[in-house]
Amino acid sequence: MIAASLHILAHFLVPGVVARLAFRPAWKHAWLLMCATIVVDLDHLLADPVYDPDRCSIGTHPLHTEPAMAVYGMLLLVPRLRIVATGLLLHMALDASDCYRQALY
């Protein structure tokens, strides 16, 4: 339960740090946009069960696949979508770190 709570918290704290470092002076706007990318988790609704704390979302859910991540990477090239792309890639990195943690234990 603690790991799941920390994982969710990281989805809001890490974008805040990145926004402060990379998107000054509009860091608050950037932080909110990056936090909004948590909607990518709507693809979890396609899974059965919807939530499984022991399931790695990378490669399991459609918006958490390598092709999707490649698209997120390409979105970095579009200036107007750069903040959203950064948020999506941070989200994938955080989910991947959770998968790594699960594999260790």
Side-chain angles (χ1 to χ4, degrees), residues 31-61:
W31 176 58
L32 289 172
L33 278 175
M34 286 191 276
C35 286
T37 63
I38 201 155
V39 301
V40 76
D41 279 341
L42 286 174
D43 65 353
H44 290 240
L45 295 174
L46 301 172
D48 186 27
V50 170
Y51 177 72
D52 179 355
D54 297 321
R55 178 176 56 220
C56 174
S57 60
I58 301 296
T60 303
H61 306 293

Side-chain angles (χ1 to χ4, degrees), residues 50-103:
V50 170
Y51 177 72
D52 179 355
D54 297 321
R55 178 176 56 220
C56 174
S57 60
I58 301 296
T60 303
H61 306 293
L63 298 176
H64 290 70
T65 60
E66 289 180 10
M69 287 183 255
V71 171
Y72 306 152
M74 287 186 282
L75 291 177
L76 287 171
L77 301 173
V78 182
R80 293 190 66 132
L81 298 176
R82 193 164 290 144
I83 294 170
V84 171
T86 301
L88 289 166
L89 291 170
L90 283 174
H91 185 102
M92 296 304 127
L94 289 167
D95 283 1
S97 71
D98 198 45
C99 295
Y100 179 73
R101 181 197 54 80
Q102 289 174 2

